[in-house]
Amino acid sequence: MIRNFLMNILMVEDNPGDQVLLRELIRSSGITYNHIYAAGTIREAVQLLEKHQVDILLLDLSLPDGYGIGSFKTIRDQAPGIPVVILSGVADTRMALEAITLGAQDFLLKGDFDGKLLAKTIFYSIERMHSMQALQESIQRYNLVSRATNDMVWDWNIETGTVYRNREGWKKILKSEAPQSEVGTESDWDSRVHPEDVERVSKAIHALRISQDAENFEFEFRVRRDDGSYAFILDRGHIIRDENGTAIRMIGASQDITEKKLTELNLRNSEMRFRSLIENSWDGLAIVDSTGIIRDFSPSGTRILGYRRQDAIGMNAYDLVHPVHRERMIFVMKQIVAEKESAQYVEQLMRKADGTYGWVEATLHNQLHEPAVGGIVVNYRDINERKNAEQNLRQSEERFRYLFDNNPASIIIWDPQTFRVLEVNDATIRQSGYTREELLSSTIMNRIAEKPEHIRELAERVLADPNFRQTRITRLFNKNGEKMFIEFASHRIEYEGKPTILALGNNVTERIKLEKQLESERVEKQQEITDAVISAQENERQEIGRELHDNINQILASSRLYLGLALNEVGMSGPHLKKTDKLINAAIDEIRSLSHSLIPPPLHDSELSDALDHIIETTSRITEISISHNLENFCEQGLPDKLKLTIYRIVQEQFTNVQKHARATEIDLSLTRDESQVELSIRDNGAGFDSTKKQPGVGLLNIKTRASLFNGTVDIHTSPGAGCNLIVTFSMEE
């Protein structure tokens, strides 16, 4: 309802004539007013607003100290709660409309309104401002409530598709710091619904919309937060329908129930895990009351005692105990019942469903005071095997002692934690020369001629593996300092209640000596055979080289000479004859190069370095490979000629391998020598290869064969695309 009251009116108009006209229109409009203030500039208007209370402001946008929207913004900022009516000319209509979008209540075209229209505009502007202020206060109260709750209120206009969701609720539920528009589309929210819930939620909303009588609804689903996690949401709402029953609007509130749901899920999972443990445990579980009546019985009890759960419940537990143990069981139960939270452990014979008795161990725990339990919890397990094992162990210990003392093999029992010798038999005493007291007062470290870290590693493996078994040959020293080789079969056993090592040993010293002698003879014979084969190869290469150089080359040289004489005498010439002459000359060069590679150079004193320089020079001349070498730390004086020849052939062989297969552009050759060894290194930057997959070729086999003649070792470091480094090491020690 529009109210008429004594109001204060401020006119902001620089035209005196328009001011007079406005005053007359106000007086004739029927508006009851107290004062009419007039200002010709924005500055004067601001001063008046600071001094007087104004109920309505009539604003001209064209003023001496302000024009257009700027004038309105200044007035609005100075008096945000006062309604403003824009007075504009036709040319200022666009600016007037823009001012309304920024908060002005209305506008009038100068010269196009009378007193009645002016009064109506003023009253409606004041009421509109009051309504906006009331709405703003309501929104502020609503936002305050939103800050105090986790709910997000929403309003979905189904006809337009727009949705209002309050910003505070949005931020709390979705953990979003980004500004969120209060009006959007339902798809903005739907895109966050968990993929597993999309179909269910969509069907539920569709069913609500097509239903003619559904008014309220409630369902749960998950939505994605900004950090990628999902929140559990409980949506409660109300459906507004038109006169035909068609849903036109849905309003509701989304409540974050994540913490509650997670608690429920954890509780459910915990219960499922507990139930699974109970049902699948090999231990039996029963609950009995203070009189011994069975109130609950786990499925595992069927495996142990044979009773079905429905048959066991209601039975008296005392009736299942063997008469020999029944009195003691009654006494234990009285103690348990008398003391809260008390527990007892028993071992006893229990009657099974088939009438036989079996051993069980049980722990009884008083839970009578716990409402969820209300009884004595009995956790029990079948120990028949353990009892039988204990009996067998006693018999076994007797047999073991007899076999231990009378065994012809050496037996030592030692502690893997302290390394102390715990027990020895007579055979050990005889072979070692020590007395029993001397052995038992020492550690295994003092008796075994092995590195301490090897003994510690063995002890760690024994302690970590209950089923440890190992057989190996170990060196020992007897009391006279003589070395013995003993083949020990070591086992982990339980001795005096702790894990120990039982080592059963046979003296294999003579066998080891014989094997080493045979191996030495085999290696020596193999080296002799290899030396003979390589010597024969070298002799054959020299014969072939001399034949090529001294015979074939001479034949080709003579053929070229006769060809030249024939050409001079007959006076023949032509491209074919010249080509023939070039081919013969090329064949002579190739044969000369081949014969030089087949015939080794004399390798006395310092001639190996010269021979290697020749290989480097030849390779550089016939290929585009850049070769660097380092022979500064190499002194060949005193080296056997055969070793020099071996080094020469290995370099020759590897250079050939690089040329044929590596596609390398660089080779680095290094040869060093010290008091203990000679090391040859040939590195290239070629294609390399996978040494785990590729079998060594003939070239590498030849290198390894030649190196083995001098007990040399060959190491190859290579990988695809990383080149190859061949390292050959010759030991200078005997």
Side-chain angles (χ1 to χ4, degrees), residues 58-241:
L58 306 176
L59 175 65
D60 183 8
L61 293 179
S62 299
L63 298 169
D65 57 349
Y67 177 76
I69 295 301
S71 301
F72 169 72
K73 289 181 177 179
T74 303
I75 294 296
R76 181 198 62 187
D77 295 341
Q78 181 66 27
I82 298 176
V84 178
V85 176
I86 303 297
L87 303 176
S88 68
V90 176
D92 297 333
T93 303
R94 183 183 59 81
M95 286 190 294
L97 292 173
E98 185 178 353
I100 289 176
T101 63
L102 295 176
Q105 272 57 55
D106 208 339
F107 78 96
L108 295 170
L109 291 176
K110 289 183 178 180
D112 195 24
F113 61 90
D114 55 14
K116 291 182 179 181
L117 180 57
L118 176 60
K120 179 181 179 182
T121 301
I122 289 175
F123 285 130
Y124 275 119
S125 296
I126 293 173
E127 289 300 322
R128 190 178 297 115
M129 175 60 74
H130 290 164
S131 298
M132 289 179 62
Q133 289 176 342
L135 177 61
Q136 188 65 32
E137 291 175 358
S138 175
I139 292 174
Q140 289 177 352
R141 286 194 297 270
Y142 167 73
N143 287 333
L144 288 174
V145 173
S146 297
R147 291 189 180 96
T149 180
N150 290 325
D151 291 1
M152 177 177 63
V153 178
W154 53 270
D155 184 352
W156 177 18
N157 189 324
I158 298 175
E159 293 179 324
T160 63
T162 57
V163 182
Y164 167 85
R165 300 184 191 275
N166 73 296
R167 185 174 296 134
E168 291 298 327
W170 180 280
K171 288 183 177 180
K172 288 181 180 179
I173 292 178
L174 301 181
K175 300 186 182 303
S176 174
E177 295 299 330
Q180 170 64 27
S181 174
E182 292 182 348
V183 178
T185 63
E186 186 62 12
S187 61
D188 298 334
W189 178 258
D190 291 344
S191 63
R192 292 177 176 267
V193 177
H194 194 287
E196 296 178 1
D197 298 338
V198 168
E199 184 178 358
R200 176 174 57 82
V201 172
S202 177
K203 288 182 177 179
I205 293 176
H206 179 69
L208 290 170
R209 292 179 60 179
I210 63 175
S211 173
Q212 295 292 320
D213 53 359
E215 293 184 358
N216 301 314
F217 59 87
E218 177 181 310
F219 48 86
E220 297 178 6
F221 56 96
R222 292 164 288 176
V223 294
R224 189 184 69 256
R225 297 183 174 121
D226 282 6
D227 60 4
S229 64
Y230 280 89
F232 286 87
I233 298 298
L234 173 61
D235 242 352
R236 293 190 180 98
H238 176 73
I239 304 174
I240 300 174
R241 303 180 184 277

Side-chain angles (χ1 to χ4, degrees), residues 235-250:
D235 242 352
R236 293 190 180 98
H238 176 73
I239 304 174
I240 300 174
R241 303 180 184 277
D242 60 14
E243 61 276 7
N244 298 320
T246 303
I248 59 173
R249 186 177 175 189
M250 298 175 72

Side-chain angles (χ1 to χ4, degrees), residues 305-526:
L305 298 176
Y307 299 103
R308 296 182 302 173
R309 181 172 183 270
Q310 58 268 32
D311 296 333
I313 293 176
M315 296 177 65
N316 192 313
Y318 297 135
D319 295 339
L320 304 181
V321 180
H322 193 281
V324 174
H325 299 140
R326 191 171 297 158
E327 290 298 326
R328 182 167 61 89
M329 183 62 189
I330 294 173
F331 175 75
V332 169
M333 278 289 289
K334 288 181 178 179
Q335 286 185 315
I336 292 288
V337 173
E339 186 177 353
K340 183 179 178 182
E341 291 285 354
S342 60
Q344 291 281 352
Y345 172 84
V346 295
E347 289 184 6
Q348 57 194 14
L349 287 166
M350 299 286 291
R351 189 182 75 242
K352 298 182 179 181
D354 60 4
T356 62
Y357 284 89
W359 279 97
V360 299
E361 64 176 9
T363 301
L364 293 80
H365 189 195
N366 185 345
Q367 292 289 293
L368 289 167
H369 61 286
E370 288 290 341
V373 181
I376 309 295
V377 178
V378 182
N379 186 281
Y380 59 95
R381 67 178 59 183
D382 187 335
I383 58 170
N384 278 295
E385 292 185 3
R386 194 184 80 190
K387 284 293 186 179
N388 293 333
E390 289 175 354
Q391 182 178 359
N392 293 335
L393 180 61
R394 285 193 296 271
Q395 297 173 355
S396 176
E397 285 177 350
E398 295 174 358
R399 291 192 296 268
F400 169 77
R401 175 52 60 183
Y402 177 81
L403 293 174
F404 183 86
D405 292 335
N406 296 279
N407 199 307
S410 298
I411 302 177
I412 301 175
I413 299 176
W414 57 280
D415 189 337
Q417 294 178 320
T418 65
F419 304 103
R420 295 194 61 81
V421 177
L422 303 177
E423 189 62 86
V424 294
N425 68 344
D426 294 339
T428 303
I429 296 171
R430 287 194 303 270
Q431 291 189 12
S432 68
Y434 292 99
T435 65
R436 181 182 300 275
E437 290 72 19
E438 289 174 328
L439 291 172
L440 296 181
S441 63
S442 63
T443 68
I444 201 71
M445 296 280 193
N446 305 130
R447 302 301 172 210
I448 296 181
E450 296 284 350
K451 292 182 178 180
E453 55 267 26
H454 293 169
I455 300 177
R456 292 191 184 94
E457 180 185 357
L458 173 64
E460 290 173 358
R461 292 175 57 193
V462 168
L463 293 172
D465 184 5
N467 300 315
F468 177 82
R469 298 285 189 278
Q470 177 182 311
T471 300
R472 63 177 294 178
I473 296 175
T474 304
R475 295 173 298 168
L476 295 176
F477 291 107
N478 62 18
K479 193 171 184 178
N480 297 326
E482 298 172 344
K483 184 189 296 184
M484 299 184 299
F485 291 94
I486 307 296
E487 185 176 43
F488 277 117
S490 298
H491 307 257
R492 169 171 162 162
I493 66 169
E494 294 294 321
Y495 183 78
E496 296 182 350
K498 59 183 178 181
T500 58
I501 298 176
L502 183 147
L504 183 68
N506 292 311
N507 193 332
V508 294
T509 304
E510 294 301 322
R511 190 188 80 189
I512 294 297
K513 290 180 179 178
L514 180 59
E515 289 176 352
K516 287 187 175 181
Q517 181 180 353
L518 292 175
E519 178 64 18
S520 178
E521 292 176 357
R522 186 192 68 79
V523 172
E524 185 177 351
K525 178 62 72 176
Q526 184 63 43

Side-chain angles (χ1 to χ4, degrees), residues 450-722:
E450 296 284 350
K451 292 182 178 180
E453 55 267 26
H454 293 169
I455 300 177
R456 292 191 184 94
E457 180 185 357
L458 173 64
E460 290 173 358
R461 292 175 57 193
V462 168
L463 293 172
D465 184 5
N467 300 315
F468 177 82
R469 298 285 189 278
Q470 177 182 311
T471 300
R472 63 177 294 178
I473 296 175
T474 304
R475 295 173 298 168
L476 295 176
F477 291 107
N478 62 18
K479 193 171 184 178
N480 297 326
E482 298 172 344
K483 184 189 296 184
M484 299 184 299
F485 291 94
I486 307 296
E487 185 176 43
F488 277 117
S490 298
H491 307 257
R492 169 171 162 162
I493 66 169
E494 294 294 321
Y495 183 78
E496 296 182 350
K498 59 183 178 181
T500 58
I501 298 176
L502 183 147
L504 183 68
N506 292 311
N507 193 332
V508 294
T509 304
E510 294 301 322
R511 190 188 80 189
I512 294 297
K513 290 180 179 178
L514 180 59
E515 289 176 352
K516 287 187 175 181
Q517 181 180 353
L518 292 175
E519 178 64 18
S520 178
E521 292 176 357
R522 186 192 68 79
V523 172
E524 185 177 351
K525 178 62 72 176
Q526 184 63 43
Q527 287 183 337
E528 290 177 0
I529 295 172
T530 302
D531 186 23
V533 171
I534 291 177
S535 297
Q537 289 178 349
E538 289 295 335
N539 291 333
E540 185 176 2
R541 289 166 71 113
Q542 291 186 35
E543 290 298 325
I544 294 173
R546 290 194 184 96
E547 180 67 22
L548 290 173
H549 186 273
D550 298 339
N551 190 7
I552 305 300
N553 235 18
Q554 296 300 325
I555 293 173
L556 290 174
S558 299
S559 300
R560 188 182 180 206
L561 178 61
Y562 282 119
L563 178 62
L565 291 174
L567 292 175
N568 291 334
E569 291 178 1
V570 180
M572 297 174 61
S573 64
H576 297 297
L577 295 176
K578 291 180 179 180
K579 183 67 173 177
T580 301
D581 182 63
K582 289 182 179 179
L583 291 174
I584 293 174
N585 188 45
I588 292 171
D589 291 339
E590 288 291 333
I591 291 174
R592 183 182 296 111
S593 176
L594 180 60
S595 63
H596 286 168
S597 66
L598 291 173
I599 301 173
L603 299 174
H604 304 296
D605 297 331
S606 61
E607 294 175 351
L608 175 58
S609 299
D610 297 336
L612 295 179
D613 287 339
H614 177 71
I615 295 176
I616 294 171
E617 180 184 354
T618 303
T619 305
S620 300
R621 186 176 68 252
I622 64 176
T623 67
E624 296 181 355
I625 300 176
S626 173
I627 303 175
S628 60
H629 63 284
N630 179 14
L631 306 178
E632 295 179 359
N633 296 325
F634 176 69
C635 175
E636 60 184 279
Q637 187 175 4
L639 288 182
D641 289 346
K642 286 188 176 182
L643 177 57
K644 293 182 182 180
L645 179 59
T646 296
I647 294 173
Y648 174 82
R649 288 301 188 195
I650 289 175
V651 173
Q652 196 176 47
E653 188 75 56
Q654 184 62 6
F655 271 39
T656 301
N657 290 340
V658 173
Q659 295 175 48
K660 289 183 178 179
H661 310 295
R663 302 192 300 277
T665 59
E666 296 177 3
I667 296 178
D668 182 18
L669 170 66
S670 173
L671 187 61
T672 59
R673 177 185 177 185
D674 57 26
E675 295 179 356
S676 61
Q677 66 181 23
V678 173
E679 183 178 282
L680 169 66
S681 172
I682 304 174
R683 185 193 303 271
D684 67 75
N685 66 342
F689 58 89
D690 188 346
S691 58
T692 63
K693 297 181 180 179
K694 184 176 180 180
Q695 296 295 326
V698 176
L700 288 178
L701 290 176
N702 288 338
I703 290 173
K704 291 182 178 180
T705 301
R706 288 182 178 275
S708 67
L709 187 60
F710 294 92
N711 295 324
T713 60
V714 179
D715 293 319
I716 300 173
H717 304 283
T718 182
S719 61

Side-chain angles (χ1 to χ4, degrees), residues 2-8 30-34 53 55-56 122-123 126-127 130:
I2 298 177
R3 295 169 297 138
N4 195 353
F5 61 96
L6 288 175
M7 64 180 71
N8 293 326
I31 296 174
T32 58
Y33 60 88
N34 187 21
Q53 180 180 353
D55 297 301
I56 187 72
I122 289 175
F123 285 130
I126 293 173
E127 289 300 322
H130 290 164

